[in-house]
PDB file of all heavy atoms in Angstrom:
ATOM      1  N   ASN B   4       9.312   2.373 -66.125  1.00 90.00           N
ATOM      2  CA  ASN B   4       9.873   1.059 -66.489  1.00 90.00           C
ATOM      3  C   ASN B   4       9.390  -0.025 -65.525  1.00 90.00           C
ATOM      4  O   ASN B   4       9.079  -1.138 -65.937  1.00 90.00           O
ATOM      5  CB  ASN B   4      11.410   1.102 -66.471  1.00 90.00           C
ATOM      6  CG  ASN B   4      11.942   1.906 -67.643  1.00 90.00           C
ATOM      7  OD1 ASN B   4      11.284   2.015 -68.673  1.00 90.00           O
ATOM      8  ND2 ASN B   4      13.114   2.482 -67.460  1.00 90.00           N
ATOM      9  N   VAL B   5       9.366   0.341 -64.232  1.00 92.00           N
ATOM     10  CA  VAL B   5       8.895  -0.618 -63.231  1.00 92.00           C
ATOM     11  C   VAL B   5       7.437  -0.959 -63.506  1.00 92.00           C
ATOM     12  O   VAL B   5       7.051  -2.130 -63.517  1.00 92.00           O
ATOM     13  CB  VAL B   5       9.073  -0.056 -61.800  1.00 92.00           C
ATOM     14  CG1 VAL B   5       8.344  -0.921 -60.787  1.00 92.00           C
ATOM     15  CG2 VAL B   5      10.544   0.064 -61.439  1.00 92.00           C
ATOM     16  N   SER B   6       6.629   0.064 -63.771  1.00 94.00           N
ATOM     17  CA  SER B   6       5.208  -0.182 -64.039  1.00 94.00           C
ATOM     18  C   SER B   6       5.015  -1.076 -65.260  1.00 94.00           C
ATOM     19  O   SER B   6       4.198  -2.013 -65.246  1.00 94.00           O
ATOM     20  CB  SER B   6       4.480   1.152 -64.270  1.00 94.00           C
ATOM     21  OG  SER B   6       4.466   1.889 -63.075  1.00 94.00           O
ATOM     22  N   ALA B   7       5.769  -0.803 -66.294  1.00 95.00           N
ATOM     23  CA  ALA B   7       5.643  -1.608 -67.520  1.00 95.00           C
ATOM     24  C   ALA B   7       6.047  -3.056 -67.254  1.00 95.00           C
ATOM     25  O   ALA B   7       5.403  -3.997 -67.736  1.00 95.00           O
ATOM     26  CB  ALA B   7       6.510  -1.004 -68.622  1.00 95.00           C
ATOM     27  N   GLN B   8       7.119  -3.210 -66.465  1.00 95.00           N
ATOM     28  CA  GLN B   8       7.582  -4.569 -66.151  1.00 95.00           C
ATOM     29  C   GLN B   8       6.549  -5.319 -65.301  1.00 95.00           C
ATOM     30  O   GLN B   8       6.301  -6.507 -65.509  1.00 95.00           O
ATOM     31  CB  GLN B   8       8.936  -4.486 -65.421  1.00 95.00           C
ATOM     32  CG  GLN B   8       9.562  -5.821 -65.078  1.00 95.00           C
ATOM     33  CD  GLN B   8      10.000  -6.621 -66.309  1.00 95.00           C
ATOM     34  OE1 GLN B   8       9.872  -6.173 -67.444  1.00 95.00           O
ATOM     35  NE2 GLN B   8      10.475  -7.825 -66.046  1.00 95.00           N
ATOM     36  N   VAL B   9       5.944  -4.593 -64.357  1.00 96.00           N
ATOM     37  CA  VAL B   9       4.901  -5.214 -63.534  1.00 96.00           C
ATOM     38  C   VAL B   9       3.745  -5.668 -64.421  1.00 96.00           C
ATOM     39  O   VAL B   9       3.252  -6.800 -64.305  1.00 96.00           O
ATOM     40  CB  VAL B   9       4.403  -4.246 -62.448  1.00 96.00           C
ATOM     41  CG1 VAL B   9       3.101  -4.751 -61.801  1.00 96.00           C
ATOM     42  CG2 VAL B   9       5.463  -4.029 -61.370  1.00 96.00           C
ATOM     43  N   ARG B  10       3.303  -4.814 -65.321  1.00 96.00           N
ATOM     44  CA  ARG B  10       2.175  -5.165 -66.198  1.00 96.00           C
ATOM     45  C   ARG B  10       2.527  -6.371 -67.076  1.00 96.00           C
ATOM     46  O   ARG B  10       1.691  -7.233 -67.330  1.00 96.00           O
ATOM     47  CB  ARG B  10       1.756  -3.968 -67.055  1.00 96.00           C
ATOM     48  CG  ARG B  10       1.034  -2.873 -66.278  1.00 96.00           C
ATOM     49  CD  ARG B  10       0.276  -1.916 -67.193  1.00 96.00           C
ATOM     50  NE  ARG B  10       1.173  -1.181 -68.072  1.00 96.00           N
ATOM     51  CZ  ARG B  10       1.802  -0.056 -67.732  1.00 96.00           C
ATOM     52  NH1 ARG B  10       1.619   0.482 -66.531  1.00 96.00           N
ATOM     53  NH2 ARG B  10       2.598   0.562 -68.593  1.00 96.00           N
ATOM     54  N   LYS B  11       3.786  -6.423 -67.521  1.00 95.00           N
ATOM     55  CA  LYS B  11       4.210  -7.564 -68.356  1.00 95.00           C
ATOM     56  C   LYS B  11       4.129  -8.876 -67.547  1.00 95.00           C
ATOM     57  O   LYS B  11       3.626  -9.886 -68.045  1.00 95.00           O
ATOM     58  CB  LYS B  11       5.648  -7.325 -68.836  1.00 95.00           C
ATOM     59  CG  LYS B  11       6.236  -8.438 -69.673  1.00 95.00           C
ATOM     60  CD  LYS B  11       7.573  -7.996 -70.266  1.00 95.00           C
ATOM     61  CE  LYS B  11       8.250  -9.107 -71.054  1.00 95.00           C
ATOM     62  NZ  LYS B  11       8.807 -10.151 -70.224  1.00 95.00           N
ATOM     63  N   ILE B  12       4.616  -8.820 -66.318  1.00 96.00           N
ATOM     64  CA  ILE B  12       4.599 -10.032 -65.483  1.00 96.00           C
ATOM     65  C   ILE B  12       3.163 -10.455 -65.194  1.00 96.00           C
ATOM     66  O   ILE B  12       2.807 -11.639 -65.286  1.00 96.00           O
ATOM     67  CB  ILE B  12       5.384  -9.800 -64.170  1.00 96.00           C
ATOM     68  CG1 ILE B  12       6.879  -9.660 -64.482  1.00 96.00           C
ATOM     69  CG2 ILE B  12       5.140 -10.906 -63.164  1.00 96.00           C
ATOM     70  CD1 ILE B  12       7.723  -9.163 -63.316  1.00 96.00           C
ATOM     71  N   VAL B  13       2.329  -9.472 -64.863  1.00 96.00           N
ATOM     72  CA  VAL B  13       0.921  -9.793 -64.572  1.00 96.00           C
ATOM     73  C   VAL B  13       0.262 -10.400 -65.810  1.00 96.00           C
ATOM     74  O   VAL B  13      -0.478 -11.394 -65.723  1.00 96.00           O
ATOM     75  CB  VAL B  13       0.155  -8.536 -64.115  1.00 96.00           C
ATOM     76  CG1 VAL B  13      -1.342  -8.818 -64.019  1.00 96.00           C
ATOM     77  CG2 VAL B  13       0.689  -8.039 -62.771  1.00 96.00           C
ATOM     78  N   SER B  14       0.563  -9.814 -66.972  1.00 95.00           N
ATOM     79  CA  SER B  14      -0.027 -10.310 -68.223  1.00 95.00           C
ATOM     80  C   SER B  14       0.360 -11.764 -68.462  1.00 95.00           C
ATOM     81  O   SER B  14      -0.473 -12.586 -68.881  1.00 95.00           O
ATOM     82  CB  SER B  14       0.453  -9.425 -69.381  1.00 95.00           C
ATOM     83  OG  SER B  14       0.010  -9.960 -70.596  1.00 95.00           O
ATOM     84  N   GLU B  15       1.623 -12.100 -68.187  1.00 93.00           N
ATOM     85  CA  GLU B  15       2.085 -13.484 -68.397  1.00 93.00           C
ATOM     86  C   GLU B  15       1.377 -14.466 -67.461  1.00 93.00           C
ATOM     87  O   GLU B  15       1.249 -15.647 -67.771  1.00 93.00           O
ATOM     88  CB  GLU B  15       3.603 -13.561 -68.178  1.00 93.00           C
ATOM     89  CG  GLU B  15       4.395 -12.919 -69.296  1.00 93.00           C
ATOM     90  CD  GLU B  15       5.872 -12.750 -68.952  1.00 93.00           C
ATOM     91  OE1 GLU B  15       6.273 -13.054 -67.808  1.00 93.00           O
ATOM     92  OE2 GLU B  15       6.608 -12.273 -69.824  1.00 93.00           O
TER      93      GLU B  15
END
Side-chain angles (χ1 to χ4, degrees):
Chain B
N4 288 334
V5 169
S6 293
Q8 182 67 2
V9 167
R10 288 197 296 275
K11 178 171 177 287
I12 291 169
V13 171
S14 174
E15 287 169 356

